[in-house]
Amino acid sequence: MLAQSHGGVICTPHGEASTAGMRVLQAGGTAIDAMLAASAMLAAVYPHMTGLGGDALWMIHDKRVRTIMGIGQAGQQLPEGGVIGLRGPSAVATTAGALASWQTAQNISRQEWGSRLGWQDLLGDAAQVARTGAEVSASHLFWQQQRQALIETLPDLKTLCQVDWRWLQAGDRLRQPQLANTLEQLARHGVQDFYHGELASAFAEHFTRIGCGLRREDLAATRAEELAPLSIRYRQGTLYNVAPPCQGLYTLQAMAALQHKALAACGNGSTRYYHYLVEAIKQGLLRRNAELCDPASTDWDYAASLSSGCGRDYAAIIDDQRAARWSEPGRPADTIWMAATDAQGRTACLIQSLFHDFGSGCVMGDTGVLWQNRAAGFNADPNHPNAWAPGKRPAHTLNPSAYLADNGRRLFFGTQGGDGQPQTQMVLATQLVDFAQPIDKALRMPRFLLGRSFFDSTDNLKLEADIDPAVVTGLAQMGHEVESIPALSPFTGQAGAIAIETDGRRYAMHDPRGQGTALGEPG
């Protein structure tokens, strides 16, 4: 449902998280405070997608756009056996950067935005819900069903997916008492305890026990950087995203190509409209797979690829009549995106992830913290720019967007979905900007998904079933290998958006493809 207000607004993928964030806004907290409370709540009620053991990126706007990059780094040694796995202990091979980003964001909230709220105020509700429980979400039940065979091999996950020796069912309550203890510890001592205190000691002990290669020194070295965003001019405004090792560079490259295509003249939802978007992101994903890595490990001048000349070159590669071949391996991933705007008009967007659903599948001792498997994002080829190295960050799928129009309109949007993230963002950006759609219509616009992005899917172009059949036929005639998936398919993302209009109205909405909610302050 669309939320509207002249005050604060928030959208998250779960009603409990939206409510927690709105309580903070109504108590005088900032947009950052609301995101911190909502993120903690999601760890309690949405643990298959996000949690304290993951990474996080922020996009913040007050007088300018800035980003916070909370990405954990590789340890100083590989896991036992010398190989990083997709799941299990060998996937616990990078630190978790989310809480480092929380600290950096809270510093901005308190020191620059005047917040008086502390960690007790921001984490208390989540700790209580983790202890007493909340009804298990439909999303959790869906992914639990899909991963039952995996969960059987990863016993730590049974505490999240079973009760009384049976699988969780609709109506059951998900309780995480150990996570509640951890949240209470963080509320008392601050989130730096995660990296330097009693929690860090507990994590380090478990790292040694499972042989993942991480040590306490690796936790202590984890940092969250405040960075300037990447940007391009797009139509009558500026489009922003996050720098490498995140894939936002390639979202912007694809949009830079579209800057040189007359999308509005194609007609909204037309064959040519979808063709241009698909062909633009094909190029970006090819470049990403070849070069995306931690820029601290190279002398890569990635910003040069966003010049106006490069945008024209990207557009020139697109064949207006024929689809290019596509057989690249996909990068499945799951995460959450959410955002809030406070009464002062400041906006904070947070995208946080365990990488794959249920992350590594490893819970750290008795802390209740499920660790991510982001280390699986390293390339196994030792000669690839994204190969593992001590202290290196892996290539990352997370990438939130913002658009500041020259007329003062502000748009913030993002989604989950690995390779699908830039694809869904392109649909949202073109709907919001090229076709001036309100956010509810932009979020309902039929989407596409290119490549092997989930389960045992194929390399083809998946099209939501509510795309005009004549458009589907036209795309097939242009050489796209098309497949129909249900309308409003959750596989095309769990997106959200906030729009701040020039008259001061704020709108927020989460994707109709999920169970997320948006709320607005009265008045």
Side-chain angles (χ1 to χ4, degrees):
M1 178 179 288
L2 182 69
Q4 175 182 352
S5 178
H6 279 86
V9 293
I10 185 171
C11 61
T12 84
H14 194 285
E16 290 272 9
S18 296
T19 299
M22 180 53 67
R23 278 198 292 265
V24 166
L25 290 176
Q26 292 180 321
T30 69
I32 290 173
D33 295 336
M35 286 292 92
L36 292 167
S39 186
M41 185 63 75
L42 285 175
V45 300
Y46 216 65
H48 60 302
M49 290 290 175
T50 184
L52 310 185
D55 285 345
L57 298 178
W58 295 72
M59 184 165 280
I60 295 170
H61 179 259
D62 43 14
K63 296 175 183 173
R64 59 191 171 98
V65 176
R66 48 185 154 169
T67 69
I68 299 171
M69 188 176 291
I71 296 178
Q73 79 285 356
Q76 294 302 303
Q77 59 187 35
L78 282 165
E80 292 177 3
V83 176
I84 294 171
L86 184 63
R87 305 277 192 169
S90 66
V92 183
T94 60
T95 65
L99 267 67
S101 82
W102 287 16
Q103 184 63 70
T104 301
Q106 198 215 26
N107 290 343
I108 294 171
S109 182
R110 290 176 66 87
Q111 296 170 16
E112 300 183 34
W113 292 7
S115 173
R116 297 182 178 180
L117 300 183
W119 291 115
Q120 292 274 8
D121 306 302
L122 301 175
L123 305 183
D125 285 353
Q128 181 178 355
V129 169
R131 189 172 303 285
T132 60
E135 184 173 342
V136 63
S137 70
S139 176
H140 187 118
L141 292 174
F142 173 84
W143 286 103
Q144 170 186 291
Q145 173 67 29
Q146 300 299 326
R147 303 300 191 202
Q148 278 195 14
L150 174 71
I151 293 165
E152 290 286 6
T153 70
L154 295 168
D156 289 2
L157 291 180
K158 292 183 179 180
T159 62
L160 292 175
C161 299
Q162 294 182 356
V163 60
D164 297 330
W165 306 102
R166 64 168 177 82
W167 295 99
L168 288 172
Q169 301 171 8
D172 285 338
R173 294 185 73 78
L174 172 65
R175 294 181 174 89
Q176 300 183 74
Q178 293 178 329
L179 180 66
N181 294 339
T182 291
L183 288 166
E184 289 168 355
Q185 172 80 3
L186 294 168
R188 288 191 301 268
H189 300 286
V191 298
Q192 284 304 310
D193 193 83
F194 192 93
Y195 301 101
H196 301 283
E198 293 178 18
L199 282 171
S201 297
F203 295 146
E205 181 180 337
H206 197 72
F207 293 157
T208 299
R209 184 178 307 130
I210 64 175
C212 66
L214 292 180
R215 297 177 178 176
R216 179 164 180 158
E217 293 79 3
D218 299 315
L219 279 175
T222 305
R223 299 287 184 272
E225 302 176 89
E226 183 183 334
L227 300 172
L230 296 179
S231 66
I232 60 168
R233 285 291 296 175
Y234 187 76
R235 309 307 182 204
Q236 285 74 51
T238 303
L239 181 63
Y240 296 88
N241 210 294
V242 181
C246 301
Q247 69 174 336
L249 176 70
Y250 305 98
T251 304
L252 291 180
Q253 288 180 4
M255 295 302 298
L258 296 182
Q259 171 73 355
H260 300 278
K261 299 294 184 182
L263 290 185
C266 295
N268 197 5
S270 66
T271 299
R272 188 59 55 84
Y273 167 79
Y274 284 108
H275 175 73
Y276 280 151
L277 267 63
V278 172
E279 294 304 295
I281 198 56
K282 278 182 181 177
Q283 296 179 41
L285 293 178
L286 284 168
R287 288 187 291 268
R288 182 204 67 182
N289 291 352
E291 68 189 17
L292 182 60
C293 65
D294 186 348
S297 66
T298 70
D299 57 359
W300 178 28
D301 183 13
Y302 55 82
S305 68
L306 295 178
S307 69
S308 58
C310 285
R312 286 190 294 271
D313 292 343
Y314 302 146
I317 296 171
I318 295 175
D319 187 325
D320 290 352
Q321 306 301 322
R322 296 296 300 172
R325 285 187 67 253
W326 182 255
S327 60
E328 283 292 293
R331 293 189 182 187
D334 288 289
T335 182
I336 60 94
W337 178 95
M338 56 184 178
T341 298
D342 58 31
Q344 288 71 38
R346 302 168 300 208
T347 298
C349 308
L350 174 58
I351 186 166
Q352 189 164 314
S353 174
L354 296 172
F355 195 28
H356 294 100
D357 51 279
F358 295 107
S360 68
C362 296
V363 176
M364 299 296 105
D366 62 358
T367 67
V369 174
L370 177 62
W371 214 261
Q372 66 183 358
N373 64 329
R374 186 61 67 172
F378 284 118
N379 194 293
D381 179 355
N383 297 313
H384 193 280
N386 186 41
W388 179 91
K392 189 175 179 179
R393 299 170 298 178
H396 235 270
T397 51
L398 302 186
N399 70 119
S401 288
Y403 183 78
L404 304 187
D406 296 341
N407 67 0
R409 190 182 189 214
R410 288 171 275 165
L411 302 165
F412 304 89
F413 51 96
T415 184
Q416 54 91 260
D419 281 4
Q421 284 193 36
Q423 301 179 48
T424 292
Q425 288 194 46
M426 292 172 71
V427 173
L428 291 175
T430 55
Q431 290 302 304
L432 292 166
V433 178
D434 292 86
F435 296 98
Q437 296 278 35
I439 61 172
D440 56 334
K441 290 188 177 180
L443 285 165
R444 289 190 173 93
M445 180 70 184
R447 298 177 192 159
F448 65 91
L449 183 61
L450 174 69
R452 194 181 298 270
S453 297
F454 54 85
F455 301 129
D456 296 319
S457 63
T458 58
D459 294 319
N460 59 9
L461 177 63
K462 299 156 190 69
L463 302 171
E464 289 191 315
D466 48 347
I467 293 177
D468 187 333
V471 170
V472 176
T473 299
L475 289 168
Q477 291 172 343
M478 297 176 82
H480 295 277
E481 184 182 343
V482 300
E483 173 188 350
S484 180
I485 59 176
L488 296 178
S489 169
F491 293 124
T492 62
Q494 300 282 306
I498 284 180
I500 303 175
E501 303 295 345
T502 55
D503 63 1
R505 289 174 299 159
R506 292 90 182 262
Y507 296 93
M509 184 171 170
H510 208 270
D511 208 319
R513 292 161 181 82
Q515 295 80 47
T517 61
L519 300 172
E521 289 187 287

